[in-house]
Amino acid sequence: MAVLVRTTDVAMREREELWRHAVSRSFVPLDFEFRGAGGFAGEIAGKTLGSVMVTEVTAAAHRAERTEKHIMRSDEAGFYKLSLPTSGRVRIAQDGREASLLPGDIAIYDTSRPYQVTFDGTCRVIMVMFPHRELRLPGDAIREVTARRVFGGRGLGGVVSPMLVNLAGHIDEVGDSHPMRLADNVVDLIGTLYASLLGECADASDSMRMLLTRAKMFIARHLEEPGLGPEAIAAACYVSTGYLHKLFRAEGMSVGRYIRERRLEQCRRDLLDPGSREVAVSAIGARWGFADAAHFSRVFKTSYGLAPREYRLSRDVIPAGALSDVS
């Protein structure tokens, strides 16, 4: 990985300010409390794979905090960050929980809500950061598993943890033709891990909420399938189609509308994806279930105010690697 910042390159008195600035540019703005008596030292190395940024952070004892003030001042889209220490102990706090991570353990957190990260000494941590949209799980469901320790030595954690360690160790060997596919696979595996954890954490007394979350997760995983509809979703959730409709009506939405909005959002993202510049608008619509190009254009314009082609032309495409300049 390319070294993005190394505090030992500057004078001791400048290191803390350099770290604040570098972390804000590489991730999101944070407040810091530096705890070492002998002066702070840290290094960030990283590489971007499509919309996924993989970094390795080595730093002395300190505490970083994302506050409501940071979030209110920010105009960037929300990101998920996954941390995996390879040495030392790291603590992640969000949503009223705190995860104490030892080497190999994993925790996820959301940059659109306040959180704290504490290095209890000199630590080395692999971090994977990606936009919310890449993790095809409902945001309200992810809130249930933020700052929860996933043990790296068993179950799906024992699959994902070594994969991420190997990814960080060999990321420079990835050729130019593979980063987008690799990024998709990494996020899909992370999504599988947290879908499994959500099933374990679900409150059995709140069966309607649990079933609605399960239905939304199924929809997210099968959005590209033409046959996706109430019958298939209900069968996957072991409920009747009538009960499925009842679950969505309780949220003020029909099943069909929910599917359509999720598909339109995926189309919108593809229209802004630099890797899809040469893909025809009609092909993007067809990929997400809108086989009729004229119908796709109408419903997209209703939702976003512009026809798909106009929307694509009206937006500046975010270049690959922009995650490293998030501020």
Side-chain angles (χ1 to χ4, degrees):
M1 293 187 214
V3 174
L4 305 179
V5 64
R6 184 186 291 119
T7 60
T8 53
D9 291 339
V10 301
M12 184 74 74
R13 65 181 180 278
E14 300 172 354
R15 291 180 181 179
E16 293 179 3
E17 185 57 33
L18 173 63
W19 191 255
R20 288 189 182 93
H21 179 71
V23 169
S24 292
R25 283 181 58 82
S26 298
F27 305 111
V28 291
L30 300 165
D31 286 339
F32 287 91
E33 176 187 336
F34 297 99
R35 299 180 170 183
F40 181 77
E43 177 180 300
I44 302 174
K47 182 170 181 175
T48 300
L49 301 174
S51 60
V52 177
M53 185 175 182
V54 180
T55 55
E56 191 169 57
V57 178
T58 305
H62 70 285
R63 180 176 182 269
E65 182 173 12
R66 177 88 163 149
T67 66
E68 289 283 6
K69 186 179 293 186
H70 291 128
I71 295 163
M72 290 174 62
R73 288 195 304 235
S74 173
D75 59 359
E76 81 263 0
F79 295 87
Y80 291 122
K81 288 179 72 177
L82 184 144
S83 287
L84 186 165
T86 56
S87 68
R89 187 179 74 157
V90 176
R91 289 180 284 130
I92 310 290
Q94 188 171 56
D95 298 325
R97 293 181 293 272
E98 182 176 274
S100 183
L101 307 181
L102 296 175
D105 293 338
I106 296 169
I108 198 168
Y109 45 109
D110 184 345
T111 67
S112 67
R113 298 197 307 282
Y115 65 84
Q116 301 84 40
V117 178
T118 304
F119 283 37
D120 284 337
T122 298
C123 302
R124 178 171 294 170
V125 184
I126 295 168
M127 295 184 179
V128 181
M129 178 172 163
F130 49 88
H132 284 168
R133 65 177 182 268
E134 302 299 330
L135 192 67
R136 296 182 185 178
L137 294 173
D140 54 351
I142 292 298
R143 191 182 288 260
E144 300 296 320
V145 292
T146 49
R148 290 188 184 274
R149 181 186 184 189
V150 177
F151 292 94
R154 66 175 187 236
L156 276 174
V159 174
V160 176
S161 179
M163 182 275 294
L164 292 177
V165 172
N166 284 326
L167 172 66
H170 297 279
I171 197 167
D172 289 331
E173 301 168 23
V174 177
D176 292 340
S177 60
H178 302 299
M180 294 292 289
R181 181 177 298 178
L182 180 58
D184 289 344
N185 290 339
V186 168
V187 176
D188 283 348
L189 191 53
I190 292 171
T192 300
L193 170 65
Y194 280 98
S196 173
L197 187 61
L198 281 166
E200 296 172 6
C201 294
D203 183 352
S205 67
D206 191 355
S207 59
M208 288 187 70
R209 181 175 63 86
M210 182 175 66
L211 282 169
L212 183 62
T213 296
R214 185 183 301 166
K216 289 179 177 179
M217 288 165 60
F218 180 85
I219 291 168
R221 290 195 299 269
H222 297 271
L223 266 182
E224 296 178 66
E225 298 178 10
L228 179 66
E231 294 78 11
I233 300 163
C237 296
Y238 303 103
V239 297
S240 68
T241 54
Y243 191 70
L244 180 74
H245 287 300
K246 177 181 177 180
L247 292 174
F248 278 85
R249 280 199 303 271
E251 285 207 335
M253 183 176 293
S254 70
V255 179
R257 179 184 163 195
Y258 182 83
I259 294 171
R260 183 174 66 252
E261 289 187 357
R262 298 288 75 73
R263 283 176 164 168
L264 285 170
E265 177 60 14
Q266 290 297 333
C267 291
R268 186 188 71 82
R269 291 164 181 164
D270 282 358
L271 289 168
L272 299 181
D273 182 359
S276 298
R277 275 180 173 173
E278 306 303 320
V279 180
V281 167
S282 59
I284 289 175
R287 177 189 176 192
W288 295 108
F290 299 100
D292 185 320
H295 172 68
F296 171 49
S297 184
R298 285 195 302 271
V299 296
F300 189 94
K301 186 173 183 178
T302 298
S303 292
Y304 297 106
L306 293 171
R309 192 180 308 279
E310 296 167 337
Y311 185 88
R312 172 185 260 174
L313 293 173
S314 71
R315 298 297 193 273
D316 291 330
V317 177
I318 300 172
L323 276 178
S324 61
D325 291 323
V326 170
S327 60

Short mmCIF file of all heavy atoms in Angstrom, two decimals, residues 24-45:
data_model
loop_
_atom_site.label_atom_id
_atom_site.label_comp_id
_atom_site.label_asym_id
_atom_site.label_seq_id
_atom_site.Cartn_x
_atom_site.Cartn_y
_atom_site.Cartn_z
N SER A 24 -8.57 13.38 8.69
CA SER A 24 -9.75 14.04 8.13
C SER A 24 -9.81 13.88 6.61
O SER A 24 -10.88 13.69 6.04
CB SER A 24 -9.75 15.53 8.49
OG SER A 24 -9.96 15.70 9.88
N ARG A 25 -8.66 13.94 5.95
CA ARG A 25 -8.63 13.79 4.50
C ARG A 25 -8.81 12.33 4.08
O ARG A 25 -9.47 12.05 3.07
CB ARG A 25 -7.30 14.32 3.94
CG ARG A 25 -7.21 15.83 3.87
CD ARG A 25 -5.88 16.27 3.29
NE ARG A 25 -5.65 15.71 1.97
CZ ARG A 25 -6.13 16.22 0.83
NH1 ARG A 25 -6.89 17.29 0.87
NH2 ARG A 25 -5.86 15.66 -0.33
N SER A 26 -8.25 11.42 4.83
CA SER A 26 -8.31 10.01 4.46
C SER A 26 -9.64 9.36 4.82
O SER A 26 -10.10 8.46 4.12
CB SER A 26 -7.17 9.23 5.13
OG SER A 26 -5.92 9.71 4.71
N PHE A 27 -10.25 9.83 5.92
CA PHE A 27 -11.49 9.22 6.39
C PHE A 27 -12.57 10.30 6.50
O PHE A 27 -13.13 10.72 5.49
CB PHE A 27 -11.26 8.50 7.72
CG PHE A 27 -10.16 7.47 7.66
CD1 PHE A 27 -8.96 7.66 8.34
CD2 PHE A 27 -10.31 6.32 6.91
CE1 PHE A 27 -7.95 6.72 8.28
CE2 PHE A 27 -9.31 5.37 6.84
CZ PHE A 27 -8.12 5.57 7.52
N VAL A 28 -12.86 10.72 7.71
CA VAL A 28 -13.80 11.81 7.97
C VAL A 28 -13.25 12.66 9.11
O VAL A 28 -12.41 12.19 9.89
CB VAL A 28 -15.20 11.27 8.35
CG1 VAL A 28 -15.88 10.60 7.16
CG2 VAL A 28 -15.12 10.31 9.54
N PRO A 29 -13.68 13.93 9.25
CA PRO A 29 -13.18 14.77 10.34
C PRO A 29 -13.51 14.19 11.72
O PRO A 29 -14.61 13.67 11.95
CB PRO A 29 -13.92 16.10 10.12
CG PRO A 29 -14.21 16.11 8.65
CD PRO A 29 -14.51 14.69 8.29
N LEU A 30 -12.53 14.27 12.62
CA LEU A 30 -12.65 13.73 13.97
C LEU A 30 -11.97 14.67 14.95
O LEU A 30 -11.09 15.45 14.57
CB LEU A 30 -11.99 12.35 14.06
CG LEU A 30 -12.51 11.23 13.15
CD1 LEU A 30 -11.52 10.08 13.11
CD2 LEU A 30 -13.86 10.74 13.63
N ASP A 31 -12.35 14.58 16.22
CA ASP A 31 -11.61 15.21 17.31
C ASP A 31 -10.64 14.19 17.89
O ASP A 31 -10.93 12.98 17.89
CB ASP A 31 -12.55 15.70 18.41
CG ASP A 31 -13.32 16.94 18.01
OD1 ASP A 31 -12.86 17.65 17.08
OD2 ASP A 31 -14.38 17.20 18.61
N PHE A 32 -9.51 14.66 18.42
CA PHE A 32 -8.50 13.75 18.93
C PHE A 32 -8.06 14.11 20.34
O PHE A 32 -8.00 15.29 20.72
CB PHE A 32 -7.26 13.76 18.02
CG PHE A 32 -7.47 13.06 16.71
CD1 PHE A 32 -7.93 13.77 15.61
CD2 PHE A 32 -7.25 11.71 16.58
CE1 PHE A 32 -8.15 13.14 14.40
CE2 PHE A 32 -7.47 11.06 15.38
CZ PHE A 32 -7.92 11.78 14.29
N GLU A 33 -7.76 13.06 21.08
CA GLU A 33 -7.10 13.19 22.39
C GLU A 33 -5.87 12.29 22.35
O GLU A 33 -5.99 11.08 22.22
CB GLU A 33 -8.05 12.74 23.51
CG GLU A 33 -7.43 12.76 24.89
CD GLU A 33 -8.34 12.14 25.93
OE1 GLU A 33 -9.57 12.12 25.72
OE2 GLU A 33 -7.81 11.65 26.96
N PHE A 34 -4.70 12.92 22.43
CA PHE A 34 -3.46 12.16 22.36
C PHE A 34 -2.98 11.87 23.78
O PHE A 34 -2.93 12.75 24.62
CB PHE A 34 -2.41 12.96 21.58
CG PHE A 34 -2.80 13.20 20.16
CD1 PHE A 34 -3.37 14.41 19.77
CD2 PHE A 34 -2.65 12.21 19.20
CE1 PHE A 34 -3.75 14.64 18.46
CE2 PHE A 34 -3.03 12.42 17.88
CZ PHE A 34 -3.59 13.64 17.52
N ARG A 35 -2.61 10.59 24.01
CA ARG A 35 -2.40 10.13 25.38
C ARG A 35 -0.97 9.77 25.73
O ARG A 35 -0.65 9.57 26.88
CB ARG A 35 -3.30 8.92 25.64
CG ARG A 35 -4.78 9.26 25.49
CD ARG A 35 -5.69 8.09 25.75
NE ARG A 35 -7.08 8.53 25.82
CZ ARG A 35 -8.10 7.73 26.09
NH1 ARG A 35 -7.89 6.44 26.31
NH2 ARG A 35 -9.32 8.21 26.15
N GLY A 36 -0.11 9.65 24.74
CA GLY A 36 1.25 9.23 25.04
C GLY A 36 2.09 10.38 25.60
O GLY A 36 2.00 11.52 25.15
N ALA A 37 2.92 10.07 26.59
CA ALA A 37 3.77 11.10 27.19
C ALA A 37 5.00 11.38 26.35
O ALA A 37 5.58 12.47 26.42
CB ALA A 37 4.19 10.65 28.60
N GLY A 38 5.40 10.44 25.51
CA GLY A 38 6.65 10.61 24.76
C GLY A 38 6.48 11.17 23.37
O GLY A 38 7.41 11.11 22.56
N GLY A 39 5.32 11.71 23.04
CA GLY A 39 5.10 12.23 21.70
C GLY A 39 4.39 11.22 20.82
O GLY A 39 4.63 10.02 20.92
N PHE A 40 3.53 11.74 19.95
CA PHE A 40 2.70 10.87 19.13
C PHE A 40 3.44 10.42 17.88
O PHE A 40 4.24 11.17 17.31
CB PHE A 40 1.42 11.60 18.73
CG PHE A 40 0.49 10.76 17.90
CD1 PHE A 40 -0.30 9.79 18.48
CD2 PHE A 40 0.43 10.93 16.52
CE1 PHE A 40 -1.15 9.00 17.71
CE2 PHE A 40 -0.41 10.16 15.74
CZ PHE A 40 -1.20 9.20 16.35
N ALA A 41 3.15 9.18 17.44
CA ALA A 41 3.68 8.67 16.17
C ALA A 41 2.60 7.83 15.50
O ALA A 41 1.88 7.08 16.17
CB ALA A 41 4.93 7.82 16.40
N GLY A 42 2.47 8.00 14.20
CA GLY A 42 1.47 7.24 13.48
C GLY A 42 1.75 7.20 11.99
O GLY A 42 2.48 8.04 11.45
N GLU A 43 1.16 6.22 11.33
CA GLU A 43 1.32 6.06 9.88
C GLU A 43 0.04 5.51 9.30
O GLU A 43 -0.61 4.64 9.89
CB GLU A 43 2.49 5.12 9.56
CG GLU A 43 2.68 4.86 8.07
CD GLU A 43 3.85 3.92 7.79
OE1 GLU A 43 4.98 4.28 8.16
OE2 GLU A 43 3.61 2.82 7.24
N ILE A 44 -0.35 6.03 8.13
CA ILE A 44 -1.49 5.51 7.39
C ILE A 44 -1.02 5.12 6.00
O ILE A 44 -0.41 5.94 5.29
CB ILE A 44 -2.62 6.56 7.26
CG1 ILE A 44 -3.09 7.04 8.64
CG2 ILE A 44 -3.80 5.97 6.47
CD1 ILE A 44 -4.09 8.18 8.58
N ALA A 45 -1.29 3.87 5.63
CA ALA A 45 -1.02 3.40 4.26
C ALA A 45 -2.34 2.90 3.70
O ALA A 45 -3.16 2.35 4.44
CB ALA A 45 0.02 2.29 4.26
#
